[in-house]
Short mmCIF file of all heavy atoms in Angstrom, two decimals:
data_model
loop_
_atom_site.label_atom_id
_atom_site.label_comp_id
_atom_site.label_asym_id
_atom_site.label_seq_id
_atom_site.Cartn_x
_atom_site.Cartn_y
_atom_site.Cartn_z
N VAL A 1 25.15 -4.96 -8.74
CA VAL A 1 24.09 -5.66 -9.48
C VAL A 1 23.45 -6.72 -8.61
O VAL A 1 22.21 -6.83 -8.53
CB VAL A 1 24.66 -6.29 -10.77
CG1 VAL A 1 23.64 -7.22 -11.41
CG2 VAL A 1 25.06 -5.20 -11.75
N VAL A 2 24.26 -7.52 -7.91
CA VAL A 2 23.72 -8.60 -7.08
C VAL A 2 22.87 -8.04 -5.95
O VAL A 2 21.78 -8.55 -5.66
CB VAL A 2 24.88 -9.46 -6.52
CG1 VAL A 2 24.35 -10.47 -5.50
CG2 VAL A 2 25.59 -10.19 -7.64
N SER A 3 23.33 -6.96 -5.31
CA SER A 3 22.56 -6.36 -4.23
C SER A 3 21.25 -5.77 -4.74
O SER A 3 20.20 -5.91 -4.10
CB SER A 3 23.39 -5.26 -3.55
OG SER A 3 24.59 -5.78 -3.02
N THR A 4 21.31 -5.12 -5.91
CA THR A 4 20.10 -4.50 -6.46
C THR A 4 19.11 -5.54 -6.94
O THR A 4 17.89 -5.32 -6.85
CB THR A 4 20.48 -3.56 -7.62
OG1 THR A 4 21.53 -2.68 -7.21
CG2 THR A 4 19.29 -2.73 -8.07
N GLN A 5 19.60 -6.67 -7.45
CA GLN A 5 18.71 -7.74 -7.90
C GLN A 5 17.73 -8.14 -6.81
O GLN A 5 16.51 -8.20 -7.04
CB GLN A 5 19.54 -8.98 -8.28
CG GLN A 5 19.98 -9.03 -9.72
CD GLN A 5 20.73 -10.32 -10.01
OE1 GLN A 5 21.12 -11.05 -9.10
NE2 GLN A 5 20.95 -10.62 -11.27
N LEU A 6 18.25 -8.41 -5.64
CA LEU A 6 17.40 -8.85 -4.54
C LEU A 6 16.46 -7.75 -4.08
O LEU A 6 15.28 -8.00 -3.78
CB LEU A 6 18.28 -9.32 -3.38
CG LEU A 6 17.55 -9.90 -2.17
CD1 LEU A 6 16.75 -11.13 -2.58
CD2 LEU A 6 18.54 -10.27 -1.08
N CYS A 7 16.95 -6.51 -4.06
CA CYS A 7 16.12 -5.39 -3.61
C CYS A 7 14.94 -5.16 -4.56
O CYS A 7 13.85 -4.78 -4.13
CB CYS A 7 16.96 -4.12 -3.50
SG CYS A 7 18.17 -4.16 -2.16
N ILE A 8 15.15 -5.38 -5.85
CA ILE A 8 14.06 -5.17 -6.82
C ILE A 8 12.87 -6.06 -6.48
O ILE A 8 11.72 -5.60 -6.46
CB ILE A 8 14.56 -5.45 -8.25
CG1 ILE A 8 15.49 -4.32 -8.72
CG2 ILE A 8 13.38 -5.59 -9.22
CD1 ILE A 8 16.14 -4.59 -10.06
N TYR A 9 13.13 -7.33 -6.20
CA TYR A 9 12.04 -8.27 -5.94
C TYR A 9 11.44 -8.07 -4.55
O TYR A 9 10.21 -8.08 -4.40
CB TYR A 9 12.54 -9.70 -6.11
CG TYR A 9 12.83 -10.06 -7.54
CD1 TYR A 9 14.07 -9.83 -8.10
CD2 TYR A 9 11.84 -10.60 -8.35
CE1 TYR A 9 14.34 -10.13 -9.43
CE2 TYR A 9 12.09 -10.91 -9.68
CZ TYR A 9 13.34 -10.67 -10.22
OH TYR A 9 13.60 -10.97 -11.53
N ALA A 10 12.29 -7.90 -3.54
CA ALA A 10 11.78 -7.78 -2.17
C ALA A 10 11.09 -6.43 -1.95
O ALA A 10 9.96 -6.38 -1.45
CB ALA A 10 12.91 -7.97 -1.17
N VAL A 11 11.76 -5.35 -2.31
CA VAL A 11 11.19 -4.02 -2.10
C VAL A 11 9.99 -3.79 -3.03
O VAL A 11 9.02 -3.13 -2.66
CB VAL A 11 12.27 -2.93 -2.31
CG1 VAL A 11 11.67 -1.54 -2.15
CG2 VAL A 11 13.41 -3.13 -1.31
N GLY A 12 10.06 -4.34 -4.25
CA GLY A 12 8.93 -4.21 -5.17
C GLY A 12 7.67 -4.87 -4.63
O GLY A 12 6.58 -4.28 -4.68
N ALA A 13 7.81 -6.07 -4.08
CA ALA A 13 6.65 -6.75 -3.49
C ALA A 13 6.12 -5.99 -2.28
O ALA A 13 4.90 -5.89 -2.07
CB ALA A 13 7.04 -8.17 -3.08
N GLU A 14 7.05 -5.41 -1.50
CA GLU A 14 6.64 -4.62 -0.34
C GLU A 14 5.88 -3.37 -0.78
O GLU A 14 4.93 -2.94 -0.11
CB GLU A 14 7.87 -4.23 0.47
CG GLU A 14 7.60 -3.84 1.89
CD GLU A 14 7.22 -5.01 2.78
OE1 GLU A 14 7.58 -6.16 2.45
OE2 GLU A 14 6.56 -4.77 3.80
N ARG A 15 6.26 -2.80 -1.90
CA ARG A 15 5.59 -1.60 -2.40
C ARG A 15 4.16 -1.91 -2.83
O ARG A 15 3.24 -1.14 -2.53
CB ARG A 15 6.38 -1.02 -3.58
CG ARG A 15 5.82 0.30 -4.12
CD ARG A 15 6.58 0.76 -5.33
NE ARG A 15 6.08 2.01 -5.85
CZ ARG A 15 6.54 3.21 -5.55
NH1 ARG A 15 7.54 3.33 -4.69
NH2 ARG A 15 6.02 4.30 -6.09
N VAL A 16 3.96 -3.04 -3.51
CA VAL A 16 2.60 -3.42 -3.91
C VAL A 16 1.73 -3.65 -2.67
O VAL A 16 0.57 -3.23 -2.62
CB VAL A 16 2.65 -4.69 -4.79
CG1 VAL A 16 1.24 -5.20 -5.07
CG2 VAL A 16 3.37 -4.41 -6.10
N ARG A 17 2.28 -4.32 -1.67
CA ARG A 17 1.54 -4.54 -0.43
C ARG A 17 1.17 -3.22 0.25
O ARG A 17 0.05 -3.03 0.73
CB ARG A 17 2.36 -5.40 0.52
CG ARG A 17 1.65 -5.81 1.82
CD ARG A 17 2.59 -6.54 2.76
NE ARG A 17 3.62 -5.64 3.25
CZ ARG A 17 3.47 -4.79 4.26
NH1 ARG A 17 2.30 -4.71 4.88
NH2 ARG A 17 4.45 -4.02 4.66
N HIS A 18 2.13 -2.30 0.27
CA HIS A 18 1.88 -1.00 0.91
C HIS A 18 0.80 -0.21 0.18
O HIS A 18 -0.05 0.42 0.83
CB HIS A 18 3.19 -0.19 0.94
CG HIS A 18 3.00 1.23 1.39
ND1 HIS A 18 2.77 1.58 2.71
CD2 HIS A 18 3.00 2.41 0.69
CE1 HIS A 18 2.63 2.88 2.80
NE2 HIS A 18 2.76 3.42 1.60
N GLU A 19 0.80 -0.23 -1.15
CA GLU A 19 -0.22 0.51 -1.91
C GLU A 19 -1.60 -0.08 -1.67
O GLU A 19 -2.59 0.66 -1.60
CB GLU A 19 0.12 0.48 -3.40
CG GLU A 19 1.37 1.25 -3.78
CD GLU A 19 1.27 2.74 -3.51
OE1 GLU A 19 0.14 3.27 -3.53
OE2 GLU A 19 2.31 3.37 -3.28
N GLY A 20 -1.69 -1.42 -1.54
CA GLY A 20 -2.97 -2.04 -1.22
C GLY A 20 -3.47 -1.62 0.15
O GLY A 20 -4.67 -1.34 0.34
N GLN A 21 -2.57 -1.55 1.13
CA GLN A 21 -2.95 -1.10 2.47
C GLN A 21 -3.37 0.37 2.46
O GLN A 21 -4.30 0.76 3.18
CB GLN A 21 -1.79 -1.31 3.43
CG GLN A 21 -1.54 -2.76 3.81
CD GLN A 21 -0.41 -2.90 4.81
OE1 GLN A 21 0.50 -2.08 4.84
NE2 GLN A 21 -0.46 -3.94 5.62
N GLU A 22 -2.67 1.18 1.67
CA GLU A 22 -3.00 2.60 1.60
C GLU A 22 -4.40 2.80 1.03
O GLU A 22 -5.15 3.68 1.52
CB GLU A 22 -1.96 3.32 0.73
CG GLU A 22 -2.16 4.82 0.62
CD GLU A 22 -1.94 5.55 1.93
OE1 GLU A 22 -1.27 4.98 2.83
OE2 GLU A 22 -2.44 6.68 2.06
N PHE A 23 -4.78 2.03 0.02
CA PHE A 23 -6.12 2.14 -0.53
C PHE A 23 -7.17 1.74 0.51
O PHE A 23 -8.21 2.42 0.65
CB PHE A 23 -6.27 1.27 -1.78
CG PHE A 23 -7.68 1.18 -2.29
CD1 PHE A 23 -8.26 2.26 -2.94
CD2 PHE A 23 -8.43 0.03 -2.10
CE1 PHE A 23 -9.57 2.19 -3.40
CE2 PHE A 23 -9.74 -0.04 -2.56
CZ PHE A 23 -10.31 1.04 -3.21
N ALA A 24 -6.90 0.67 1.26
CA ALA A 24 -7.85 0.23 2.29
C ALA A 24 -8.00 1.30 3.37
O ALA A 24 -9.11 1.57 3.85
CB ALA A 24 -7.37 -1.08 2.90
N GLN A 25 -6.89 1.93 3.76
CA GLN A 25 -6.95 2.97 4.78
C GLN A 25 -7.73 4.18 4.28
O GLN A 25 -8.57 4.74 5.01
CB GLN A 25 -5.54 3.38 5.17
CG GLN A 25 -5.49 4.42 6.28
CD GLN A 25 -4.07 4.80 6.66
OE1 GLN A 25 -3.11 4.37 6.03
NE2 GLN A 25 -3.92 5.61 7.69
N GLN A 26 -7.48 4.59 3.04
CA GLN A 26 -8.22 5.73 2.48
C GLN A 26 -9.70 5.40 2.32
O GLN A 26 -10.56 6.27 2.50
CB GLN A 26 -7.62 6.11 1.12
CG GLN A 26 -6.23 6.72 1.22
CD GLN A 26 -6.22 8.04 1.96
OE1 GLN A 26 -7.14 8.84 1.83
NE2 GLN A 26 -5.18 8.26 2.76
N LEU A 27 -10.00 4.14 2.00
CA LEU A 27 -11.40 3.73 1.86
C LEU A 27 -12.14 3.89 3.18
O LEU A 27 -13.29 4.35 3.21
CB LEU A 27 -11.46 2.27 1.39
CG LEU A 27 -12.84 1.67 1.18
CD1 LEU A 27 -13.58 2.41 0.08
CD2 LEU A 27 -12.71 0.19 0.83
N TYR A 28 -11.48 3.55 4.27
CA TYR A 28 -12.12 3.68 5.58
C TYR A 28 -12.22 5.14 6.02
O TYR A 28 -13.21 5.56 6.64
CB TYR A 28 -11.34 2.88 6.62
CG TYR A 28 -11.92 2.93 8.00
CD1 TYR A 28 -13.03 2.16 8.34
CD2 TYR A 28 -11.37 3.76 8.96
CE1 TYR A 28 -13.58 2.22 9.61
CE2 TYR A 28 -11.91 3.82 10.24
CZ TYR A 28 -13.02 3.05 10.56
OH TYR A 28 -13.55 3.11 11.81
N MET A 29 -11.19 5.94 5.70
CA MET A 29 -11.15 7.31 6.20
C MET A 29 -11.95 8.29 5.35
O MET A 29 -12.51 9.26 5.86
CB MET A 29 -9.69 7.78 6.27
CG MET A 29 -8.84 7.02 7.27
SD MET A 29 -7.11 7.56 7.27
CE MET A 29 -7.28 9.27 7.78
N GLN A 30 -12.03 8.07 4.04
CA GLN A 30 -12.65 9.05 3.15
C GLN A 30 -14.16 8.93 3.09
O GLN A 30 -14.85 9.96 2.93
CB GLN A 30 -12.07 8.89 1.72
CG GLN A 30 -10.59 9.20 1.60
CD GLN A 30 -10.30 10.69 1.72
OE1 GLN A 30 -11.18 11.52 1.54
NE2 GLN A 30 -9.07 11.02 2.07
N LEU A 31 -14.71 7.74 3.21
CA LEU A 31 -16.15 7.58 3.07
C LEU A 31 -16.87 8.11 4.31
O LEU A 31 -16.44 7.85 5.44
CB LEU A 31 -16.52 6.11 2.85
CG LEU A 31 -16.16 5.52 1.48
CD1 LEU A 31 -16.61 4.08 1.39
CD2 LEU A 31 -16.80 6.34 0.36
N PRO A 32 -17.97 8.81 4.11
CA PRO A 32 -18.74 9.33 5.27
C PRO A 32 -19.64 8.23 5.84
O PRO A 32 -20.87 8.24 5.62
CB PRO A 32 -19.54 10.47 4.64
CG PRO A 32 -19.73 10.06 3.22
CD PRO A 32 -18.50 9.29 2.83
N TRP A 33 -19.06 7.31 6.58
CA TRP A 33 -19.81 6.15 7.05
C TRP A 33 -20.98 6.56 7.95
O TRP A 33 -22.04 5.90 7.93
CB TRP A 33 -18.87 5.22 7.83
CG TRP A 33 -17.78 4.64 6.99
CD1 TRP A 33 -16.52 5.12 6.81
CD2 TRP A 33 -17.86 3.48 6.16
NE1 TRP A 33 -15.80 4.32 5.94
CE2 TRP A 33 -16.61 3.29 5.53
CE3 TRP A 33 -18.88 2.56 5.90
CZ2 TRP A 33 -16.36 2.25 4.66
CZ3 TRP A 33 -18.63 1.51 5.04
CH2 TRP A 33 -17.38 1.37 4.42
N HIS A 34 -20.81 7.62 8.74
CA HIS A 34 -21.86 8.01 9.67
C HIS A 34 -23.09 8.58 8.96
O HIS A 34 -24.18 8.65 9.54
CB HIS A 34 -21.32 9.08 10.65
CG HIS A 34 -20.83 10.32 9.97
ND1 HIS A 34 -19.63 10.38 9.27
CD2 HIS A 34 -21.40 11.56 9.86
CE1 HIS A 34 -19.47 11.60 8.79
NE2 HIS A 34 -20.52 12.34 9.12
N GLN A 35 -22.94 8.96 7.67
CA GLN A 35 -24.06 9.51 6.93
C GLN A 35 -24.75 8.47 6.05
O GLN A 35 -25.78 8.77 5.44
CB GLN A 35 -23.58 10.68 6.06
CG GLN A 35 -22.99 11.84 6.84
CD GLN A 35 -22.48 12.94 5.93
OE1 GLN A 35 -22.58 12.85 4.71
NE2 GLN A 35 -21.91 13.99 6.54
#
C-alpha cells in the first residue's frame, strides 16, 4: 500500500504530462503545414 500510494501520485502526474506532450507532437505532425 505504501509503495503504491507514492506511485499513484508520481506516475499519475507523469502520465498527464506525457499525454499533453503526445497531443503537441501529433499537432505538429498531423497538420499539413506546407499546404
Side-chain angles (χ1 to χ4, degrees):
V1 170
V2 172
S3 301
T4 310
Q5 270 183 347
L6 184 61
C7 292
I8 288 174
Y9 289 89
V11 178
E14 200 72 23
R15 184 184 180 94
V16 173
R17 184 186 67 82
H18 171 74
E19 292 297 333
Q21 287 182 331
E22 182 67 21
F23 172 73
Q25 183 179 6
Q26 291 296 322
L27 181 63
Y28 181 78
M29 295 178 62
Q30 295 288 340
L31 288 182
W33 296 93
H34 60 285
Q35 299 178 2

